[in-house]
Amino acid sequence: MIDKEWLSLLTLILAVIAIIYMVTVGLIYLILFLIASSRIKKERFLNQEEYVEELTSNKDTFPVSVLIPAYNEEVGIYTTVRSMLGLNYPQYEIIVIDDGSKDNTSGKVIEEFKMTEIDVALRKYFNTKDVIKAYQSTVHPNIFLLRKENGGKADALNAGINFSRYPYFAAVDGDCILDHDALLKVMKPIIDSNGLVTVTGGTVRIANGSTITRSQVEKIALPKGPIVLMQIIEYFRAFLIGRLGLSRLNILLIISGAFGVFEKKRVVKVGGYNTKTVGEDMELIVRMHRSIKEEKSNQRVEYIQDPVCWTEAPDNAAVLRSQRKRWQRGLAETIWLHKKMLFNPKYKGIGLFSMPYYLIVELLSAVFELVGYVVIMSGLLFSFVSLDIVIVMFIVTVFYGSLLSSLAVLLEEWTYHKYPDTKSLIVLFFWALTESFWYRPLMVWWRFSGLIQSLTKKADWGNMKRKGISTD
Amino acid sequence: MLELVLLLTLGLFVCQLLLLVYLYTTKTWAIKKDNTANRLYHELFPDYLSYLTGDTDIEPILPKNDELKQKVLERILSGFTNIMTDSAGKARIQQSAEAHLATIYRKKLKSSNWSKRMNALYLIEDFMMLSLREDVKEHLHAITIIDEEYRQTLRILASFQEESLLEYMFSRPNMSIGLIKEILRRLPLSFLTDIMVVLKKDEDDVPYAIRQAFIDYCGESGYYEFLPFIEYMLTHQSKETRIKALKSLHQYQYCSNPTIIVPFFTSEHWEERLHAAKLTGMMKLTEFSDYLILLAGDRVWWVRFQACEALKKMTDGEILLAYLSEQHEDMYAKDMAKQTLTMRAGGQV
């Protein structure tokens, strides 16, 4: 009897903690939404073509090296490189880094772009696994291929930086397609700020369902599978609320590995990508922030809501699970590596808000939410807590997920309004409402497993089997 | 407690419902408006084509609704602005824009919506709407934040060749070199000559960024009137100014007396050695090949790279590089020569 009372009290305490946690997180997200929405509202009707027109003919537009690390990407690599050829940008080079692929990634690039071998006098900013051979296209002299021994994505990017010629580099995943003006738009803040912006990242959108022909997005449409649909909503929320909100406060710690532009000088200064983590994209940004704050520099890391990089999302639970576990491990490793920054006033907003936010909200939310679900279940099954508490927790959970997802759909419509019909909006809205009932619990469980795994696994590419997003 | 929970549930439900209704209605309206504008555009385009190309003097009748008129006319005129090269055609674009859009844009410049102001500013420049000159000047003084709006307002005034602009620039030491160059690109030769005169007379009166931007732009524009001034800047005490002058000469692809670059081959600053090598290659100054061979073994990678690239541009460049790849005493120079021999040139995709 006493045991049951104790258990009931413990469940009640856990329930209250979970409710406070969820309400706080919900409020933080609402505040970020308000910060992000003011920027999106400001630029809602802006003529985007006119906005970047000056840069297309401007000789001061910095040249950029586009780095495409690839491991077993024979299905998508040609499409990706071809989409880069269509970029509206005055001067750039494309460097594909084949990180010891076991498939025909290199062969495909060599054949499609008619490449021949070149000798390289490599500059070594960083030590990487050996570059075996280098190639240059005979058709497009600014496409290069480096074939190197396998060392992971971070090592491949470091080798690409060593080889690159230009002062800025864009890191783009081997399975992505960039919009025609994406590079211009992402470089604009760097050029306009006269170098004060050191890193910029663009929005990544899910290509499943849309029609992409010859590496150009022709028609944007929704996929049919609920797993991909939910990821689309999730991406809107993560980018348009989370990243934009944090970026406006200059405390953004993630620039998506799929598409970001970096000032080479700053990356070299901080030592390049860390080869010992799966979250090398986030880890680099944290290190850059650290160096900026330690130097008392006023440089910024900015997220730009418009430039779009299209990628293929996992369309089945097994692949999505391994992706999310990997992300969680990357996050955990980064926070662990930079634990000294946590709650450290020396790093201002990064130490006092951003790092704790990523620890408590992004990393540990899986634990808190899992507790919440257990409390709801046990409350209902064994009457450990009152029905009122269970209902409150249920409402808070729904509020946390569904309303914010719906708001993200609103921001998407304000930013891109690219879905050609009202039906797509209603479909997105409907699925946003269902999030709390199936997708979120799944995520919580996978992220929790990822957290556990972060203590054991070593770094890897974690690739998924690609189907390819563009047709000829 | 239960009442509160019920109230929260109801509130949440109402919020979501309102959001859905808002999204649905705004999207429906937007699609409807777009369709109407599209239809009108396709109807009016052939008639405007005849009008703007001078086949007819009768301007087509536009819709009475201001928003629709603006949308359709902007689309038609913007399309033609990019392809129309003759002055008569441009004058007609300007005339149409002045007649139908000036009042609308004047109002837009006062709008509280940033995007609407920006769109108006972009098109005022595209259509060269000179009647709005005073409004734009007034707008510049009303701007408090240095952002794209500020930059675009200055670009318009430069395109309009507004005389007070030089004085404005001289009084703003914090303007970036990039923005100043955007302005310089739009200014006529007479304005540029005025800047050079002030720079020669007393450069301390001119902000540093204007000096650097001007030197840079001279090469980009290719005006030979300014070449002696740029060559004179090679002797400037500031390293950054000398480097800008070297870069400018590189863009000219010419200098009147090549011996003036000789001291830079042995400069203590690697950027000067690099630009000297680049200029030598660009001008194919074979008499300086020995310096390039020396720089092929420079301690800085970029200088080695540029020296070998310059050698490659010489008539006997490939032979020299082949020799270097075998015989140069410096291993790095050998590697760089090999790379230059096998790598094709090409700075642009």
Side-chain angles (χ1 to χ4, degrees):
Chain A
M1 191 65 185
I2 290 170
D3 281 354
K4 199 181 172 189
E5 274 175 18
W6 270 105
L7 209 55
S8 182
L9 183 65
L10 181 71
T11 319
L12 182 67
I13 291 169
L14 285 176
V16 171
I17 292 172
I19 290 172
I20 292 171
Y21 173 82
M22 296 288 276
V23 169
T24 312
V25 169
L27 283 175
I28 290 174
Y29 252 96
L30 269 183
I31 292 167
L32 288 177
F33 164 78
L34 291 174
I35 295 170
S37 62
S38 69
R39 161 66 66 90
I40 289 176
K41 219 174 157 195
K42 180 185 169 188
E43 296 178 8
R44 191 177 163 195
F45 297 110
L46 185 66
N47 183 335
Q48 292 288 345
E49 280 176 27
E50 292 279 358
Y51 185 60
V52 292
E53 195 183 57
E54 180 74 22
L55 296 183
T56 55
S57 55
N58 190 335
K59 289 197 173 169
D60 292 325
T61 304
F62 302 119
V64 176
S65 303
V66 180
L67 310 183
I68 309 171
Y71 178 72
N72 293 347
E73 296 281 4
E74 69 171 342
V75 176
I77 192 70
Y78 170 61
T79 310
T80 302
V81 178
R82 190 171 60 179
S83 89
M84 304 298 162
L85 283 174
L87 285 175
N88 177 22
Y89 201 80
Q91 193 178 354
Y92 62 103
E93 62 181 356
I94 301 163
I95 303 164
V96 180
I97 310 115
D98 180 1
D99 189 47
S101 294
K102 292 186 177 74
D103 68 357
N104 192 31
T105 301
S106 280
K108 185 98 179 160
V109 179
I110 291 168
E111 186 195 329
E112 296 289 353
F113 298 102
K114 299 185 174 41
M115 294 193 141
T116 53
E117 200 179 327
I118 52 170
D119 287 314
V120 175
L122 205 62
R123 197 166 57 266
K124 281 211 169 179
Y125 295 119
F126 321 109
N127 286 322
T128 66
K129 295 277 181 185
D130 285 344
V131 172
I132 305 160
K133 277 179 182 172
Y135 300 84
Q136 185 180 21
S137 167
T138 53
V139 194
H140 306 282
N142 272 36
I143 304 182
F144 298 93
L145 167 72
L146 298 183
R147 278 182 64 198
K148 65 182 281 290
E149 286 171 8
N150 183 266
K153 187 176 170 185
D155 193 64
L157 283 164
N158 284 341
I161 297 171
N162 279 343
F163 181 79
S164 65
R165 285 183 291 178
Y166 296 141
Y168 286 86
F169 71 88
V172 183
D173 274 356
D175 58 334
C176 288
I177 284 178
L178 291 185
D179 264 1
H180 184 59
D181 284 337
L183 198 53
L184 267 184
K185 287 176 184 168
V186 91
M187 280 300 289
K188 186 163 169 66
I190 294 174
I191 295 162
D192 287 346
S193 72
N194 219 5
L196 204 61
V197 173
T198 185
V199 184
T200 53
T203 300
V204 177
R205 290 188 65 162
I206 290 170
N208 308 40
S210 296
T211 311
I212 299 179
T213 312
R214 297 188 64 80
S215 309
Q216 297 292 323
V217 180
E218 282 193 343
K219 189 185 166 207
I220 298 170
L222 292 175
K224 289 197 170 59
I227 281 197
V228 187
L229 268 165
M230 273 319 302
Q231 288 177 78
I232 289 178
I233 295 163
E234 199 188 8
Y235 274 46
F236 289 161
R237 193 169 67 187
F239 283 96
L240 296 177
I241 298 180
R243 295 197 189 176
L244 183 55
L246 292 172
S247 159
R248 290 204 65 196
L249 302 169
N250 194 23
I251 52 173
L252 176 65
L253 294 187
I254 297 182
I255 289 293
S256 175
F259 179 37
V261 171
F262 299 78
E263 183 188 14
K264 194 157 82 182
K265 201 165 66 180
R266 172 68 65 181
V267 173
V268 169
K269 199 170 190 178
V270 300
Y273 285 92
N274 183 342
T275 53
K276 292 190 176 67
T277 172
V278 283
E280 71 287 324
D281 41 5
M282 181 185 183
E283 200 281 330
L284 176 66
I285 300 295
V286 175
R287 214 153 7 100
M288 289 176 84
H289 267 302
R290 199 169 171 165
S291 125
I292 288 168
K293 289 284 177 290
E294 281 169 357
E295 275 177 24
K296 294 190 170 38
S297 155
N298 51 358
Q299 282 200 301
R300 293 177 57 86
V301 172
E302 249 182 47
Y303 160 76
I304 322 294
Q305 71 263 30
D306 194 43
V308 167
C309 165
W310 296 90
T311 189
E312 184 182 358
D315 59 1
N316 66 67
V319 182
L320 184 62
R321 183 181 59 214
S322 67
Q323 183 196 56
R324 295 312 160 94
K325 281 184 177 179
R326 195 172 66 250
W327 287 5
Q328 194 74 347
R329 278 171 45 208
L331 180 62
E333 285 168 8
T334 301
I335 292 174
W336 178 250
L337 276 169
H338 298 280
K339 53 187 178 299
K340 276 187 184 164
M341 292 173 78
L342 269 169
F343 305 105
N344 189 339
K346 184 179 162 189
Y347 299 103
K348 296 182 180 165
I350 303 284
L352 296 177
F353 180 78
S354 207
M355 288 289 282
Y357 167 85
Y358 278 97
L359 172 71
I360 297 165
V361 179
E362 300 288 340
L363 187 72
L364 296 180
S365 65
V367 179
F368 282 100
E369 287 183 48
L370 198 64
V371 168
Y373 292 130
V374 170
V375 169
I376 291 176
M377 298 288 213
S378 57
L380 285 174
L381 289 175
F382 308 110
S383 305
F384 283 150
V385 284
S386 75
L387 191 66
D388 284 3
I389 295 272
V390 171
I391 294 173
V392 170
M393 291 187 74
F394 182 72
I395 298 285
V396 168
T397 310
V398 171
F399 177 80
Y400 177 72
S402 307
L403 182 62
L404 288 164
S405 293
S406 320
L407 290 172
V409 176
L410 170 78
L411 291 189
E412 193 284 335
E413 180 55 22
W414 279 0
T415 319
Y416 312 111
H417 41 83
K418 280 179 180 166
Y419 290 107
D421 50 17
T422 44
K423 191 186 153 200
S424 303
L425 272 185
I426 291 172
V427 169
L428 281 173
F429 206 88
F430 167 75
W431 285 106
L433 294 180
T434 70
E435 187 198 9
S436 305
F437 304 102
W438 63 282
Y439 188 74
R440 195 153 190 91
L442 271 179
M443 287 298 131
V444 166
W445 180 243
W446 291 340
R447 286 164 59 204
F448 182 74
S449 318
L451 198 58
I452 303 295
Q453 261 191 8
S454 63
L455 304 168
T456 54
K457 287 243 176 167
K458 67 176 183 67
D460 60 16
W461 274 80
N463 272 12
M464 71 176 197
K465 184 84 184 152
R466 303 283 174 197
K467 291 175 182 165
I469 52 178
S470 172
T471 57
D472 286 325
Chain B
M1 182 69 176
L2 201 63
E3 287 84 357
L4 183 73
V5 169
L6 284 173
L7 209 63
L8 197 65
T9 317
L10 191 70
L12 179 65
F13 179 72
V14 171
C15 274
Q16 304 248 18
L17 197 68
L18 287 176
L19 195 58
L20 179 63
V21 170
Y22 167 77
L23 270 174
Y24 184 82
T25 45
T26 50
K27 183 82 183 173
T28 310
W29 283 341
I31 291 172
K32 204 175 156 190
K33 270 189 208 167
D34 279 350
N35 288 343
T36 314
N38 265 339
R39 184 177 49 77
L40 279 168
Y41 170 79
H42 289 295
E43 275 173 25
L44 286 167
F45 185 84
D47 296 340
Y48 255 99
L49 178 66
S50 311
Y51 175 68
L52 293 173
T53 50
D55 288 348
T56 171
D57 285 333
I58 305 159
E59 189 176 4
I61 296 163
L62 287 160
K64 285 200 171 62
N65 176 303
D66 263 2
E67 199 185 333
L68 209 53
K69 178 168 76 175
Q70 183 198 343
K71 214 169 181 175
V72 175
L73 190 62
E74 279 177 357
R75 197 168 151 193
I76 293 174
L77 297 184
S78 294
F80 280 109
T81 308
N82 296 328
I83 50 166
M84 198 70 86
T85 48
D86 69 302
S87 55
K90 281 184 177 172
R92 286 196 181 216
I93 290 174
Q94 188 182 357
Q95 205 180 325
S96 279
E98 294 275 16
H100 303 290
L101 299 172
T103 317
I104 296 173
Y105 288 170
R106 194 167 282 128
K107 217 186 284 175
K108 296 262 177 202
L109 286 181
K110 307 269 182 212
S111 165
S112 59
N113 185 304
W114 184 83
S115 300
K116 287 181 181 170
R117 294 199 304 273
M118 282 309 305
N119 292 346
L121 286 166
Y122 284 131
L123 294 174
I124 288 170
E125 188 187 12
D126 284 357
F127 303 151
M128 285 299 284
M129 297 169 73
L130 294 166
S131 69
L132 294 173
R133 179 192 295 263
E134 290 307 315
D135 300 83
V136 176
K137 277 166 74 176
E138 201 182 301
H139 191 70
L140 176 67
H141 295 294
I143 293 172
T144 50
I145 302 168
I146 308 292
D147 66 357
E148 181 66 8
E149 187 173 9
Y150 173 76
R151 290 189 286 272
Q152 179 56 23
T153 308
L154 286 173
R155 287 183 204 123
I156 297 175
L157 292 174
S159 291
F160 288 0
Q161 300 179 11
E162 168 57 39
E163 285 183 4
S164 62
L165 195 58
L166 285 189
E167 196 185 328
Y168 182 87
M169 282 163 63
F170 284 173
S171 64
R172 296 286 186 289
N174 293 329
M175 259 192 200
S176 74
I177 294 178
L179 176 60
I180 295 168
K181 280 184 72 184
E182 285 181 20
I183 294 170
L184 296 181
R185 285 187 193 107
R186 288 164 166 83
L187 294 179
L189 186 60
S190 59
F191 279 51
L192 299 171
T193 311
D194 288 348
I195 295 175
M196 188 183 70
V197 169
V198 182
L199 272 169
K200 272 183 172 173
K201 206 169 121 198
D202 191 359
E203 70 170 43
D204 292 340
D205 285 350
V206 184
Y208 172 78
I210 294 187
R211 182 174 80 207
Q212 301 301 86
F214 180 76
I215 294 171
D216 213 357
Y217 178 65
C218 285
E220 187 185 316
S221 68
Y223 287 130
Y224 278 94
E225 291 87 336
F226 305 124
L227 185 67
F229 172 74
I230 299 299
E231 289 181 341
Y232 173 68
M233 284 291 125
L234 289 180
T235 58
H236 200 279
Q237 57 184 5
S238 151
K239 180 189 99 179
E240 296 304 327
T241 303
R242 294 196 303 271
I243 291 170
K244 274 273 183 269
L246 281 166
K247 277 187 185 174
S248 191
L249 289 181
H250 176 242
Q251 298 214 59
Y252 272 113
Q253 301 186 21
Y254 178 75
C255 70
S256 59
N257 174 15
T259 54
I260 57 176
I261 59 173
V262 171
F264 295 105
F265 289 120
T266 48
S267 163
E268 60 180 307
H269 305 293
W270 69 268
E271 297 96 329
E272 290 185 332
R273 300 198 297 278
L274 178 144
H275 286 292
K278 203 170 177 181
L279 188 57
T280 305
M282 189 53 79
M283 291 176 64
K284 295 189 171 58
L285 301 171
T286 45
E287 65 269 33
F288 295 153
S289 292
D290 288 347
Y291 286 116
L292 294 180
I293 290 168
L294 196 71
L295 291 179
D298 195 275
R299 62 184 178 277
V300 177
W301 187 93
W302 284 108
V303 179
R304 297 199 292 275
F305 174 79
Q306 210 55 70
C308 289
E309 285 283 311
L311 277 171
K312 199 176 182 180
K313 291 193 171 81
M314 306 289 175
T315 41
D316 55 352
E318 300 227 342
I319 300 166
L320 277 172
L321 285 170
Y323 172 77
L324 286 188
S325 68
E326 296 296 329
Q327 302 297 327
H328 202 290
E329 58 196 24
D330 187 297
M331 274 305 292
Y332 290 123
K334 282 184 177 178
D335 283 352
M336 189 57 79
K338 277 183 202 162
Q339 170 176 307
T340 317
L341 273 174
T342 52
M343 205 183 268
R344 275 168 295 281
Q348 292 181 350
V349 174

